[in-house]
Amino acid sequence: MTRVRFAPSPTGHLHVGGARTAIFNWLFAHHAGGTFIIRVEDTDQARSTRESEQMVLDDLRWLGLQWDEGPDVGGPHQPYRQSERTEIYGRVTRELIERGVAYRCYCAEEELEAKRKQAEVEGRPPHYDLKCWHNRRNDADVSHAVRFHVPDDGDVEIDDLIRGKVAWKKESLGDFIVGRSDGLPTYNFTVVVDDHDMEITHVIRAEEHLTNTHRQVLIYRAMGWRVPEFAHVSLILGQDRSKLSKRHGATSVSQYAEDGFLADAMLNYLALLGWSSPDGAEIFSRDEAIAKFSLDRVNAAPAVFDPQKLDWLNGQYIHRMSAAELRPLVARFFDAPWLEEGIDVLKTSVTRLTQFGEALRFVRDYEAPEVERPFAEALANELRENGTPGTADEYKAMVERLKTSTGLKGKTLFMPLRLAISGSEHGPELVRMIPLLKHASEADASVLSPLQRAERCIR
Ligand code: GLU
């Protein structure tokens, strides 16, 4: 049974890098018919807050990444918040000490710091000098940290599912802390205890944790636990090839939601950061992505975040959706009784949900422009006598009559018509705009009808 987890440290909104890691885990779990778990890594009490946790979970929900086990939904291995698992960590720490693979270290921080400096001066690796390992004693009442002892057979090699073979020599590690003197366990320790306890089969996470894997595998071995498979996903870079950061624009998922991106488009785009579909498809549904996803198509090289491509993709999603589907999503930013028709008129010309409000401004905001008085009079007469077109056919008939009554045609007809109706030289096609304004003015008292507009131009 495949079991994977996404393990956010709740220190703010979910970033695109974390979102991509979560998406890969979610796709991998669903592809295998397995279980997707959220574990909140909140042992850094100074930086972790419940509000942040809520934000991260909300961001994951917005992306549509439902989880099977987690802090809010519970599950067979609860609790799923590390701050609530201290008893388990205490039990495993004592077991490591009893097994003789970890020991209490009474060295003061200043002493350790001085030794690290000295090692640096002498060009030696800053490893712990094993003082408390050689003088092992078991005085639990005196303030102490707990250190893991790197064994003689401490070389480690893993077969990373994305990066292939990665090996570390035991000499590259010194005895490392698993429990701090303030009683808090360290990340490398809790992550192993939890991944074991939660029966995680595949650890899919950011490349920055690759170097931690050496320590983590040693802990698995010392406890006699099965080592999971690892898959370390590469960094996301900005277009200048430096690590993606605020300098490159929005980095939090919630900001993209605020900026009018669709969750489906975001998920589609982030899935493409490092993964490619075997058939080369760039636009795919969730179910298609689940069916096609595999870690062997995840690239070991860094992925470059391309905001233009995301914009394009979001536009593709908007164009393919119906106005009825888009309406509730657009209404978050802009609402009107005639919104659905407005969306239908404009959806092929926007790339973000937020752009509908701006593109539909002409419906409610109208200032009479300069048009020739005879034209304005002819237009007003036409609309008064024959009514305002509510369909494309009625619009075409109106244009024919206007050609006759004004003697104008082509651009000399359409430009003043557009100006008089919308107040601007730009906007959607007249054949869609005029019926929209007719219907909108019938449904919304704040909208001037085409006839009222034409009359305002008579000055
Ligand atoms: N909590 C870690 C982070 O947010 C993830 C640890 C892991 O996936 O092993 O970077």
Side-chain angles (χ1 to χ4, degrees):
M1 186 59 174
T2 299
R3 291 176 57 86
V4 298
R5 70 349 182 241
F6 176 59
S9 304
T11 55
H13 269 297
L14 181 65
H15 280 211
V16 292
R20 197 252 328 237
T21 303
I23 289 167
F24 283 3
N25 274 285
W26 182 84
L27 289 171
F28 186 80
H30 280 271
H31 181 86
T35 303
F36 176 55
I37 297 154
I38 299 290
R39 180 175 72 234
V40 173
E41 308 214 315
D42 57 350
T43 50
D44 183 347
Q45 288 164 332
R47 297 178 66 222
S48 311
T49 63
R50 262 317 153 86
E51 292 73 47
S52 294
E53 176 188 314
Q54 208 45 54
M55 290 194 276
V56 171
L57 296 184
D58 285 346
D59 294 340
L60 290 167
R61 261 185 225 110
W62 179 78
L63 278 169
L65 304 180
Q66 200 45 58
W67 47 97
D68 307 299
E69 298 171 25
D72 53 340
V73 294
H77 301 279
Q78 58 191 17
Y80 291 89
R81 228 175 246 123
Q82 290 193 325
S83 59
E84 294 168 4
R85 299 175 60 80
T86 43
E87 244 171 71
I88 305 174
Y89 306 136
R91 190 169 11 94
V92 179
T93 305
R94 285 190 295 279
E95 193 169 338
L96 283 173
I97 295 172
E98 279 158 22
R99 286 175 178 234
V101 291
Y103 54 98
R104 299 180 207 270
C105 175
Y106 304 90
C107 295
E109 191 42 52
E110 306 79 64
E111 181 186 340
L112 294 169
E113 187 52 39
K115 284 178 180 169
R116 274 195 292 268
K117 285 224 174 83
Q118 187 60 31
E120 198 183 317
V121 169
E122 292 170 19
R124 287 181 288 115
H127 294 162
Y128 179 59
D129 67 357
L130 304 182
K131 178 174 157 190
C132 290
W133 169 252
H134 294 307
N135 308 296
R136 260 161 289 168
R137 63 188 171 104
N138 242 340
D139 192 345
D141 295 334
V142 180
S143 166
H144 63 274
V146 176
R147 267 183 206 279
F148 182 90
H149 182 61
V150 177
D152 291 339
D153 58 352
D155 292 357
V156 164
E157 181 174 289
I158 62 162
D159 203 352
D160 190 281
L161 295 173
I162 295 172
R163 329 195 81 76
K165 289 209 186 313
V166 185
W168 297 272
K169 289 274 170 222
K170 79 170 175 56
E171 292 76 23
S172 63
L173 279 187
D175 286 6
F176 56 91
I177 307 253
V178 291
R180 294 194 199 88
S181 56
D182 61 8
L184 285 178
T186 59
Y187 156 73
N188 278 308
F189 176 60
T190 57
V191 87
V192 170
V193 172
D194 290 345
D195 284 342
H196 167 74
D197 187 62
M198 296 175 183
E199 299 178 56
I200 301 301
T201 56
H202 298 76
V203 172
I204 305 169
R205 62 181 171 194
E207 184 184 10
E208 60 178 326
H209 292 296
L210 181 62
T211 54
N212 294 323
T213 310
H214 186 186
R215 292 178 182 82
Q216 292 173 12
V217 170
L218 292 179
I219 299 173
Y220 281 104
R221 282 190 195 161
M223 290 301 293
W225 291 341
R226 190 178 55 83
V227 180
E229 300 281 353
F230 291 99
H232 286 92
V233 184
S234 300
L235 277 178
I236 300 178
L237 305 179
Q239 288 194 293
D240 59 0
R241 304 217 128 238
S242 68
K243 190 176 175 210
L244 190 69
S245 72
K246 288 226 165 66
R247 287 188 301 113
H248 300 101
T251 53
S252 79
V253 167
S254 63
Q255 189 61 53
Y256 284 93
E258 288 304 307
D259 290 346
F261 288 88
L262 293 159
D264 286 340
M266 201 70 199
L267 181 118
N268 188 150
Y269 181 70
L270 292 175
L272 286 172
L273 285 182
W275 176 73
S276 57
S277 170
D279 56 11
E282 297 237 283
I283 303 180
F284 35 72
S285 69
R286 286 167 193 258
D287 286 344
E288 286 165 342
I290 288 168
K292 291 170 190 166
F293 187 80
S294 69
L295 287 173
D296 45 74
R297 292 196 62 84
V298 174
N299 206 320
V304 175
F305 191 88
D306 177 352
Q308 278 94 36
K309 182 159 174 191
L310 172 57
D311 228 40
W312 169 80
L313 195 66
N314 203 58
Q316 293 298 311
Y317 271 81
I318 290 177
H319 305 172
R320 286 163 190 223
M321 285 168 78
S322 72
E325 288 170 321
L326 285 164
R327 197 210 146 108
L329 303 172
V330 176
R332 258 193 72 207
F333 304 101
F334 175 82
D335 207 358
W338 39 268
L339 180 59
E340 198 166 310
E341 187 176 352
I343 291 172
D344 198 47
V345 169
L346 277 155
K347 72 188 175 79
T348 52
S349 57
V350 306
T351 59
R352 302 184 194 183
L353 299 172
T354 43
Q355 290 164 350
F356 281 105
E358 177 62 26
L360 287 166
R361 245 221 328 247
F362 72 91
V363 179
R364 277 183 175 155
D365 294 353
Y366 177 79
E367 248 180 78
E370 295 290 329
V371 286
E372 308 248 349
R373 188 177 167 116
F375 178 83
E377 280 172 346
L379 177 59
N381 279 338
E382 158 63 28
L383 295 170
R384 213 178 287 120
E385 278 165 29
N386 298 305
T388 302
T391 65
D393 285 344
E394 288 170 15
Y395 167 79
K396 280 174 201 144
M398 178 196 80
V399 169
E400 289 313 312
R401 287 190 299 270
L402 272 179
K403 277 183 188 164
T404 315
S405 62
T406 61
L408 301 171
K409 59 177 190 203
K411 204 173 167 217
T412 56
L413 171 66
F414 292 112
M415 215 19 125
L417 180 58
R418 170 176 289 283
L419 264 179
I421 293 294
S422 72
S424 152
E425 291 176 10
H426 309 285
E429 290 176 295
L430 284 164
V431 63
R432 309 280 335 257
M433 180 154 74
I434 292 177
L436 169 63
L437 287 171
K438 173 182 156 72
H439 302 139
S441 64
E442 287 161 3
D444 182 346
S446 63
V447 177
L448 292 176
S449 69
L451 173 58
Q452 288 168 317
R453 293 170 186 232
E455 284 171 341
R456 291 208 177 178
C457 292
I458 304 173
R459 305 180 279 209

